[in-house]
Amino acid sequence: MNVFIIGITGGIGGLLAQKLRSRGDTVHGLVRRDGQQAELATRGVVARVGDLSSMTVEQLAAAFGDVDVIVFSAGSNGGSKEVTTAIDGDGVVKAIEAAGRAGVERFALVSVLPESWRERDLGEEVEYYFAVKKGADIALSRSDLNWLILRPSLLLDGPGTGTVSLGPAEFHGEITRDDVAATLAELLHEPRIGRQILELNTGSTPIAEAVRANVRS
């Protein structure tokens, strides 16, 4: 499989690249600096240099090239409204259009559980982040692409457990980025899953089994 990752230098994107490479997949990505491109090359990843917020649709489509699937795992993590809009909002919409221009049908988006931290006073910028993420989910779900939206619960660092709870609706808890990346890699290798929103939380089901359970008959 030939995969292009937007957000390849992030926590989930970097782990996903490693897991896909270990499966024998070809991995491409978008980075902002030459140094990042050179570092990824040492790990067998072909990166294109560009700034998602300033690239045109045509430039992004050219960067995609002839790949099988695009993964969008970039995010502002609730930073300033300007950055959230540029990456989590306009960036996703731009990538959707660029995928269509490049003839790439499959598109996977790492989103967020809408219930995340609902018990807390999140502040205006984080509330805005959740609203923008929901708008991106809607935009992708209304596109003509063969899309997948993965909504993980609160992200943690550290080693994964290899077991999860995955389905159309899950409770909000916490999960390691490692388990999110492993689940996403498994989902990308299951062509029978498409045009679905799946929520992801820590759980007791082995990842491959959890993915197979969400294949529509």
Side-chain angles (χ1 to χ4, degrees):
M1 183 179 293
N2 197 340
V3 183
F4 193 102
I5 303 173
I6 299 174
I8 196 166
T9 59
I12 293 174
L15 290 167
L16 176 62
Q18 294 175 24
K19 294 180 188 302
L20 292 173
R21 287 282 298 150
S22 70
R23 286 173 173 255
D25 296 322
T26 300
V27 179
H28 300 260
L30 183 68
V31 297
R32 299 179 69 178
R33 296 186 296 275
D34 293 339
Q36 293 171 315
Q37 182 185 45
E39 195 276 330
L40 285 172
T42 67
R43 291 189 270 149
V45 175
V46 179
R48 305 282 190 269
V49 178
D51 187 340
L52 177 64
S53 62
S54 61
M55 295 175 77
T56 66
V57 170
E58 291 75 16
Q59 289 171 331
L60 190 55
F64 289 159
D66 185 21
V67 297
D68 300 308
V69 57
I70 293 159
V71 176
F72 194 108
S73 64
S76 68
N77 297 316
S80 71
K81 289 185 177 181
E82 292 76 16
V83 175
T84 294
T85 298
I87 302 301
D88 301 280
D90 296 344
V92 174
V93 172
K94 185 186 299 183
I96 292 169
E97 185 175 347
R101 297 273 184 99
V104 183
E105 294 185 358
R106 294 185 72 197
F107 192 114
L109 174 64
V110 179
S111 186
V112 64
L113 269 170
E115 297 87 359
S116 297
W117 295 353
R118 292 297 91 185
E119 73 280 7
R120 307 184 189 184
D121 180 8
L122 299 178
E124 186 177 344
E125 288 184 340
V126 179
E127 290 287 1
Y128 181 76
Y129 166 78
F130 279 105
V132 171
K133 296 293 278 189
K134 185 59 178 288
D137 289 358
I138 293 170
L140 181 57
S141 70
R142 291 178 177 174
S143 74
D144 294 328
L145 301 176
N146 180 14
W147 53 266
L148 169 68
I149 297 170
L150 183 64
R151 293 173 170 171
S153 52
L154 177 65
L155 297 172
L156 303 174
D157 291 321
T161 64
T163 61
V164 299
S165 186
L166 177 71
E170 295 291 337
F171 286 110
H172 175 254
E174 57 187 29
I175 190 167
T176 65
R177 290 176 172 84
D178 189 64
D179 279 335
V180 175
T183 302
L184 188 50
E186 196 70 32
L187 285 165
L188 295 177
H189 279 267
E190 179 45 83
R192 294 173 294 175
I193 289 182
R195 301 188 72 81
Q196 291 172 247
I197 297 175
L198 295 175
E199 296 185 344
L200 180 64
N201 194 20
T202 187
S204 58
T205 305
I207 289 173
E209 182 181 332
V211 168
R212 288 195 301 270
N214 284 280
V215 173
R216 291 171 173 168
S217 57

